């Protein structure tokens, strides 16, 4: 276990939030719409994103746990949807949320064309460590981004694609363009801690962010205790809602970057609510992802304008819900899942 003197001690004892008041199953079933939205690009191996939207008394909630997720994991996503539709969000502290642009693992010559799709860019995430590519490819892509955006904050995301030794070599080299932080350079919490320790020892100015290592409520605390990261990437739905995520971030005692989980604008609204309610928001958020969809469920999608998304409520549009309604068979599957997951939440 690496010693770490820079991390503040965990001051807050694990806090039990009161259980979320759960509407009766019949009410949720009556509030449910299932849609299948076409994606612009394949993501997680899919070209159609299925989600269940729940229209509650105070707004719309998104229950978008991926189909392969077991009930226990999906339960947190349902709790998040219920919070949005039946309880509402905490008071916002800000009304405009900065978001990053994203450059996929394209060749360097395509970087200008990708960046041209965004308006003003103050922060950009660049994918690295893509399978089948080399560190030279990453370095060339980064150099192209830096040349196009001399003043932007550049973060790289390896999605756990390196081993510790590769990560040290890569980040030592890529740091030359000036990096804000590196997201999940290696897969494990122990590996992150080792990469962070070695970079610090060498004086390499790259912060480490944990993303894939933060999926369960206990993970942010493990990350913090292990000295594995300087910041954490958090997503509302997998953590069980905005209030729970706020509590988890506070317990971890690390700066947070709010990100999305392939959400429609309804799910993005919850991410914005978290970003708006965090006491500190030092980094642009990864919430500019609605553009990955060919179509959204609202006529006023939560897309960035000049590098930020304006905080506003989302109303699903009846025509779009009908146009992108999932097949009868898939709707039955989702309603059945709602019954199972509701039963699990109700038993807690
Ligand atoms: Mg990431």
């Amino acid at each position: 276990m690496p010693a770490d003197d820079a991390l503040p001690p965990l001051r807050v004892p694990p806090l039990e939030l009161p259980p979320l008041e759960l509407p009766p199953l019949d009410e949720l079933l009556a509030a449910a719409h299932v849609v299948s939205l076409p994606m612009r690009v394949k993501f997680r191996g899919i070209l159609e994103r299925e989600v269940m939207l729940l229209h509650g008394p105070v707004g719309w909630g998104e229950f978008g746990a991926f189909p392969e997720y077991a009930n226990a994991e999906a339960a947190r996503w349902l709790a998040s949807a219920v919070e949005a539709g039946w309880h509402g969000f905490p008071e916002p502290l800000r009304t405009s949320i900065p978001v990053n642009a994203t450059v996929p693992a394209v060749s360097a010559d395509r970087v200008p064309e990708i960046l041209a799709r965004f308006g003003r860019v103050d922060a950009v995430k660049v994918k690295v460590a893509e399978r089948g590519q080399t560190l030279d490819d990453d370095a060339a892509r980064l150099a192209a981004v830096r040349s196009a955006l001399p003043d932007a904050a550049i973060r790289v995301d390896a999605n756990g694609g390196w081993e510790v030794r590769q990560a040290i070599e890569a980040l030592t080299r890529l740091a030359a363009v000036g990096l804000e932080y590196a997201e999940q350079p290696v897969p494990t919490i122990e590996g992150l801690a080792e990469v962070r320790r070695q970079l610090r020892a060498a004086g390499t100015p790259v912060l480490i962010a944990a993303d894939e290592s933060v999926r369960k409520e206990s993970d942010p605390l493990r990350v913090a205790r292990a000295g594995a990261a300087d910041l954490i990437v958090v997503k509302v739905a997998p953590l069980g809602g905005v209030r729970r995520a706020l509590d988890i971030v506070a317990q971890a005692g690390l700066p947070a970057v709010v990100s999305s989980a392939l959400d429609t604008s309804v799910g993005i609204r919850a991410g914005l609510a978290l970003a708006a309610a965090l006491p500190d928001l030092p980094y642009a958020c990864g919430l500019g992802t609605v553009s990955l969809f060919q179509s959204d469920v609202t006529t006023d999608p939560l897309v960035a304008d000049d590098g930020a998304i304006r905080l506003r409520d989302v109303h699903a549009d009846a025509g779009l819900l009908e146009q992108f309604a999932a097949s009868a068979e898939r709707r039955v599957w989702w309603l059945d899942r709602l019954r199972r997951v509701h039963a699990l939440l109700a038993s807690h």
Side-chain angles (χ1 to χ4, degrees):
M1 182 69 67
D4 202 300
D5 43 17
L7 277 174
L10 294 169
R11 299 166 305 263
V12 193
L15 196 132
E16 277 301 315
L17 290 180
L20 190 73
E21 183 111 15
L22 191 63
L25 175 62
D26 285 350
E27 192 175 332
L28 290 186
L29 288 169
H33 301 257
V34 183
V35 292
S36 179
L37 296 170
M39 311 280 307
R40 276 185 214 284
V41 284
K42 211 179 235 187
F43 210 85
R44 295 177 57 101
I46 55 171
L47 267 171
E48 293 268 333
R49 171 76 164 121
E50 279 181 4
V51 300
M52 172 178 274
L53 299 174
L54 296 165
H55 192 191
V58 303
W60 286 85
E62 181 156 323
F63 176 38
F66 293 95
E68 68 272 21
Y69 285 8
N71 294 339
E73 192 165 10
R76 291 195 296 270
W77 295 62
L78 181 57
S80 179
V82 166
E83 177 188 53
W86 276 260
H87 299 269
F89 299 121
E91 277 302 303
L93 304 175
R94 53 189 73 80
T95 56
S96 175
I97 307 301
V99 297
N100 65 269
T102 301
V103 173
V106 294
S107 57
D109 59 310
R110 288 198 55 206
V111 164
E113 146 207 345
I114 303 268
L115 287 175
R117 293 181 202 162
F118 300 90
R120 180 174 127 194
V121 175
D122 298 319
V124 58
K125 169 152 102 176
V126 183
K127 292 281 184 183
V128 293
E130 181 85 353
R131 204 174 293 187
Q133 296 188 4
T134 65
L135 181 52
D136 285 342
D137 297 322
D138 291 337
R141 185 179 318 114
L142 261 294
V145 172
R146 178 51 82 208
S147 134
L149 301 168
D151 301 319
I154 301 179
R155 56 188 74 166
V156 293
D157 190 353
N159 296 109
W162 287 317
E163 294 164 24
V164 168
R165 190 184 38 78
Q166 294 173 305
I168 303 291
E169 183 197 350
L171 293 175
T172 301
R173 177 164 166 197
L174 300 179
V177 300
L179 295 183
E180 183 180 39
Y181 61 78
E183 221 170 286
Q184 200 78 36
V186 294
T188 66
I189 290 179
E190 295 68 31
L192 289 179
E194 181 60 19
V195 170
R196 180 166 176 257
R197 192 189 63 75
Q198 288 195 34
L199 288 175
R200 284 187 156 206
T204 309
V206 181
L207 300 179
I208 300 298
D211 180 7
E212 282 85 347
S213 286
V214 177
R215 284 294 179 271
K216 296 192 307 241
E217 292 184 44
S218 52
D219 292 342
L221 308 184
R222 280 191 61 215
V223 165
R225 291 201 178 104
D230 300 281
L231 56 139
I232 50 177
V233 178
V234 291
K235 301 180 178 168
V236 169
L239 294 177
V242 174
R243 284 176 183 77
R244 234 175 230 292
L246 276 175
D247 178 51
I248 289 163
V249 170
Q251 287 186 46
L254 294 174
V257 175
V258 183
S259 184
S260 58
L262 210 50
D263 306 330
T264 75
S265 281
V266 172
I268 295 294
R269 175 63 182 88
L272 290 181
L274 173 58
L278 280 169
D280 299 300
L281 194 69
Y283 302 102
C285 294
L287 293 170
T289 52
V290 161
S291 55
L292 292 170
F293 290 96
Q294 261 176 44
S295 178
D296 196 0
V297 294
T298 171
T299 53
D300 179 25
L302 291 181
V303 292
D305 197 13
D306 262 350
I309 305 180
R310 185 170 46 80
L311 187 67
R312 57 195 192 269
D313 285 332
V314 172
H315 306 279
D317 176 78
L320 290 169
L321 290 177
E322 199 183 313
Q323 184 182 349
F324 295 105
S327 69
E329 185 190 343
R330 293 306 297 161
R331 181 176 161 79
V332 166
W333 184 88
W334 274 95
L335 291 174
D336 198 46
R337 180 188 220 187
L338 179 58
R339 289 185 189 95
R340 294 194 309 267
V341 176
H342 181 273
L344 186 65
L345 273 183
S347 70
H348 280 192

